[in-house]
Structure formats: C-alpha cells, structure tokens
Amino acid sequence: MASPTDGFTAQPIPAQAGIGLRSEHYREVIATRPAVGFFEIHSENFFGLGGAPHQYLENIRADYPLSFHGVGMSLGSVDPLSEQHSQRLKQLVDYYQPDLISEHLSWSSFNGQYFNDLLPVPYTPEALTHIVDRVQQIQDTLQRQILVENVSSYLQYTHSTIPEWEFVSQVAQQSGCGILLDVNNIYVNATNHDFDPRAFLGGVSAQLVKEIHLAGHSVNEFEDGSILIDTHDQLVCDEVWSLYRDAVRRLGPKPTLIEWDTNLPELAVLLDEANTAQTILEASHARVA
Amino acid sequence: MTNTKTLVSTAVSSLMLLGIAGTTLPANAADMEKCFGVAKAGKNDCQTSNSSCAGTSTKDGQKDAWLFVPKGTCEKLVGGTTKAGA
Amino acid sequence: MPGLRELQRAFSSSLRSEDASQTAAWVSANGLNGDRRIQIYRNNLVVTLTDALRSVYPVVERLVGDGFFRFAAHEFIHQYPSRHGNLHLFGHEFARFLSEFAAAKGHAYLPDVARLEWAQHEVYHAADHAPLEPQSLTVIGPDRYESLCFALHPARRLLHSSYPIMRIWEVNQAGFEGNQAVDLSAPGDRVLVLRIDREVKIHTLAPAEYQFLVTISNGKPLGQAVAAALEQDRDFDLTRCLVKHVQSSTLVDFSLA
C-alpha cells in the first residue's frame, strides 16, 4: 500500500447492486471488470500493510467505489475499543476513501479474548447507551459516519425490553450513524424468534438506511426443533427476495450487496444474484420516476 | 584469515556498479539453490457469516480417542524422529 | 437481570467451557433450549478458529491428518485464545504449542514446519518497500563500508531448522507427484521466505549466506556479518551474496553503525 497522502478521491456508491470482493475472485474481477455498482470488502482482510491484497484492491478501487464492512470492532463489548484496530481502519479509510463504512451490532470480545463471532447484545437501555457511545467514538476517530448492521442471532435474552428494530433505529438516531439493513438477518431472526419480518421493515426509517445486505442461510435441524444459521454459503432464498422487494418498496432504492463467504461459487453466480437485485432496484427507480 | 576490509570494499564497489548499466553478475553453480513458489491466496479471509457446522453437534466432537494420533502424510517421514528441534 | 458486563462475562465463560447454565438461565427457551442455543455459538467459535488455522497451516494439517489437526486446534484455541478482531493475527503461537503438545511429541519437526508456514503468512501480508538504489551508497566513504548496516525488506523472514523442512514442505504440496518419503536424518534447512511481486517464495540458503543475512537482520554492521559468514565458510563470496540480495530487494535500506 502506498502512503496515505496519495490516496484515492471519494466516489459515491449509487443505489445499485454490488458484490462482496473475495480473494478467490481478485484476478477475475480485474480481468473482466464486471458491471456492478460497487464492491464491498471486509476491512480486516486489508489490515496487512502491503502485498497482493493491496495491489489488487488499489487496482479495483481505481474503477469502482468501495464499501468497507468491519468484522472485528466488537461494538457491543464492554472491553475498551481497540485503539490499534480503530487506527488501522482509519488509515485504510483515509487512503481508499470508501463511500460506506459499516460495523455489526454485536460483541465479540471479553477481557481481551476475542471469539471472532457476532455475538448478540441484549436489547436494553444499558446496552443502547453503551453502543451509542461506542459508535460515536468510532465516528470521532474516523471523522466519518458509519453504518451499523443488524445481525442474525440464535438466542434471545429474557431481559431484552426493546424490539430489535427499535434498538437499531435508536442506535442510529442517538449516535448519528446510519443503518445497514441485512434483509436476510431480519428473515433469519424473524423465523428463529417468531416475529413478523415486515414489522422490522416498518420499524426503521427510510432516511437512516444507507445500504442493504442480502445473503443465503442454512436450516439446521435438531430433535427438539430447527434453527436458521446465517451461513452466507448459498443463493438468496425466495422468501428473502420477497422481503427485499418489500424493503425497496418501503425504503426506496438503496445500495444492495450480495454477500457470500463460504463455499464461494464462480464470480458469475454472484453477478447473477446481483443482477436479480439490480432488476428489483430498477423497477423501483422506474416507479419513483 | 581473509582480509575482511578488502572483501567488503570489492563487494560494495561492485554493488554500486549495478546502478550504472543494469549490470548483473553471472550466476555460478552455488546460485542454483532451490526456490519454492507458494500459491498463497490469503484464504483466511475474515468472515461475517456463521459456519454451517455451528449447530450440528451438541458436543464439539473433539474427544474421540482416535483423533489423538497423527494420521497424515507424517507416516512417510522416516528416521531421526527423536532428534531435538532447532 | 444481568448487566451488560455480567452477561458478557458469563457468556464468554460458557463459550470456553461445557457449562452454559449461567447464560442459559437468561435465554428464552421457545423451541430449542438455552444450552442448545449457546452450543451453536460455542461450535461456531471452534470451527471459525480451526478454519483460520487450517488456512495458515495446510502442510501441518496434511502431515497430521484432519482428525488430529482438529484435536490440536481445539486444544490450541483454549490455550492460546484469539486476541484480535483481525483473524489474520490469530495462530502465531501454533509452533510453540506444537512443541509443547504431548500428543505430537514423536514429531519434533512439526513446530519448524509451522514456523515456516507462519513466516509465509506474515510475508504475504507484510508492507511493501522500495528497492535499494545502489547509487545512493556513493555518499559513503570507502573507509566506512565495514560500518554499513543494511535493513531487510519487511516481507522477508529467515528460518533455520535441524530438519529437512523444505523437502517435507515440498512433498506435502497439493499436486506433488512422486515419492513422498522424507529422510528425517537428512541435513536441516536454512531458508529465506520472501515476496517477489505478489507471490510468496522460499529460497534455501547456504550456511554462510544464512549466517550473513541473520547477522545483518540483527542490526550488525557489514564487517561483522562478513566475519560471521567466513566462520561458516572460508570461501564465502561476499560480492555475489551482497549483489544478489540487493538485486532481489532483500536488503533495502542502509545506515552507518
């Protein structure tokens, strides 16, 4: 990575479909320059200081706007925010000038030990105040607005008092951040925790939502019941597409990302999924026009 | 004992010649050491997803006794196993 | 009702142990019970960190096989927990762990293979650096040459094993065809792990050349590095060695001692 002084200039992400950039696809993306609205990376995959990842990303950034999606900030943890982590993210943000920067509404560390997972926070006033403060700290460090994403969860705390959608909205309203609405995570949680996913959609304000995520999930069966797991290893299912159509209708067209992490298919499969999202977005643009 | 000063002087002078005409020194037999390329793709990408194995067992299945013995290609390594590591 | 800190303390310990009763009591049990739900997170942790190790240590995995690797990873994860939100930093103590791991005792070469793989991982992600411009040395008077200190490129690692780790590494690459047998009593390897363009490569080094580079990398001046190399090999060819490592950008900066 060259010095931050010769970084990129800001490039806005249009309300179009984009895909997650994974190392297996670097070469093909560079060779074929697919027609997508943007690429999203996992910020931590570029925390290394140089070498292949940055050479590829610089090349791709020259032609596309970027979104940075963080996995490891541990927003909801009671541990102090990692200064090292925030500072490295800031360097990358200053250099690559991503249009969107997001983190998860979850925690992943305690007492310095990291679980490298998106663990659920209780939806309580205490957690809300804590997370609002943390989001503000990060925004102060980066001197940028961030987005927070609703995560999939496999349990609910009995002492949660605030509906998830209201919690997410409150974090955004009180901290000044935006919302990255993961429609698959809404569907997964609605199924796992037995609520109406449309209630979630109805509970967030259109102005706060700056990006939408779509992904595939898996069903795990147990003798005492089944649960949906957010695996990002398959196609977006019909129910999630339907929920996405409703989301776009209600919130208007938003930059939409196809996320795929495990059992990564050919780039063409991701582009097909992005195409489906793009068609829905364009239909909505047409309605608006 | 070889004169270190002379060796160093010759070597650094040769080095400075490199810049001039893109000079390269001829390889000798000792240059033929092995070079191994690695197709590393940085595959341990950070993920935001959960493993599909996340919920598949009630215990994590690490306690089976058969796992305690290495059973890979190490069986093809012979001799000198008791030698101390570096 | 637990506060956020109390909840995270209990949840963390439920992830580390088999006992999730404390956390389960705060989890609603419609359908699946609380223990089952926490088990999902516990398994996910093990799978995520095992996969991270697998991607850094494919040769160790091939050597010991999938089952033993998962067993070793499981023990490692609990002894050396992840300390960073960035997964790329996880697993550097795996070599040390393997050297202390009773079940791997009969395989004393494993820690060195792990060190080699971690070096490759680090080199892949390390910073870039401009090559040394030989002309820049003209500011140094010839009488100061012995005091020249060179810096190694950030994407370089030196390793010495008393085992033939290159042969072990080579026969365990995907697509290797031929005899996989390795004679562990063969001479040990000295290697330089480096990045050329985007690719990570491993060069084997002669003992004197290795000694030279190790001395340089310890910040010692050229005079001392030459003396150390000559102790290994009276015919050590400094000119060839210096030119080679400047040309291949292993030596990238200089200063005076």
Side-chain angles (χ1 to χ4, degrees), chain A residues 18 27 29 40 48 72 98 114 120 140-141 175 180 190 204 211 224-225 241 268:
Chain A
R27 285 163 199 272
V29 164
E40 182 160 290
Y114 277 78
D140 286 348
T141 301
S175 70
L180 163 47
V204 292
E211 185 187 349
D224 46 347
W241 279 123

Side-chain angles (χ1 to χ4, degrees), chain A residues 169-242:
Chain A
S169 298
Q170 283 298 321
V171 168
Q173 270 160 18
Q174 294 182 27
S175 70
C177 75
I179 295 172
L180 163 47
L181 196 69
D182 189 314
V183 172
N184 179 61
N185 290 346
I186 294 177
Y187 180 78
V188 164
N189 286 359
T191 308
N192 287 347
H193 309 314
D194 204 18
F195 64 81
D196 176 8
R198 266 89 190 163
F200 198 127
L201 288 184
V204 292
S205 130
Q207 292 100 299
L208 293 176
V209 177
K210 309 288 183 189
E211 185 187 349
I212 292 177
H213 271 184
L214 294 171
H217 60 258
S218 305
V219 186
N220 277 5
E221 306 278 357
F222 299 101
E223 56 272 26
D224 46 347
S226 67
I227 196 160
L228 303 191
I229 307 277
D230 182 35
T231 46
H232 298 187
D233 62 350
Q234 52 192 293
L235 297 170
V236 176
C237 71
D238 290 344
E239 291 86 349
V240 171
W241 279 123
S242 155

Side-chain angles (χ1 to χ4, degrees), chain B residues 1-2 4-5 7-20 23-25 28 30-31 33-46 49-51 53-63 66-86, chain C residues 18 36 39-40 43-44 47 55-56 62-65 67-68 70-71 74 86-88 103 106-109 112 120-121 124 134-135 137-138 143 145-146 148 160-163 166 168-170 172 180-186 199-204 209 222-223 226 230 238-240 242-244 246-247:
Chain B
M1 171 101 191
T2 324
T4 308
K5 200 175 181 70
L7 277 183
V8 166
S9 174
T10 310
V12 177
S13 306
S14 305
L15 195 58
M16 285 188 288
L17 282 175
L18 286 179
I20 295 170
T23 328
T24 52
L25 293 195
N28 65 24
D31 273 329
E33 70 268 275
K34 286 193 109 170
C35 171
F36 302 82
V38 187
K40 255 225 163 344
K43 288 244 171 82
N44 58 333
D45 282 356
C46 296
S49 58
N50 300 108
S51 166
C53 311
T56 48
S57 68
T58 46
K59 299 288 167 204
D60 54 33
Q62 300 301 324
K63 303 288 182 256
W66 66 271
L67 295 173
F68 294 177
V69 181
K71 279 201 183 68
T73 57
C74 61
E75 287 165 0
K76 292 170 178 143
L77 274 53
V78 293
T81 46
T82 54
K83 192 160 68 166
Chain C
E18 298 274 310
R36 169 86 80 200
Q39 182 63 35
I40 291 173
N43 276 355
N44 197 55
V47 177
S55 66
V56 177
R62 271 178 80 101
L63 284 165
V64 301
F68 187 86
R70 279 190 286 119
F71 165 52
H74 185 265
N86 173 10
L87 209 48
H88 294 110
H107 304 267
Y109 51 87
D112 284 355
Q120 292 174 299
H121 174 66
Y124 180 81
Q135 290 302 295
L137 285 162
T138 51
D143 56 319
Y145 286 172
E146 281 176 288
L148 273 171
H160 178 195
S161 171
S162 50
Y163 296 99
M166 282 323 305
I168 296 173
W169 185 87
E170 190 184 14
N172 283 290
Q180 279 194 313
V182 177
D183 176 8
L184 283 175
S185 60
E199 226 177 293
V200 176
K201 292 184 186 298
I202 312 169
H203 286 182
T204 55
E209 188 181 16
L222 192 53
V226 177
L230 286 169
L238 174 65
T239 299
R240 200 193 121 251
L242 195 60
V243 167
K244 172 183 159 189
V246 168
Q247 278 190 328

Side-chain angles (χ1 to χ4, degrees), chain C residues 53-70:
Chain C
L53 286 180
R54 224 189 276 280
S55 66
V56 177
Y57 299 104
V59 174
V60 171
E61 189 190 5
R62 271 178 80 101
L63 284 165
V64 301
D66 171 59
F68 187 86
F69 190 84
R70 279 190 286 119

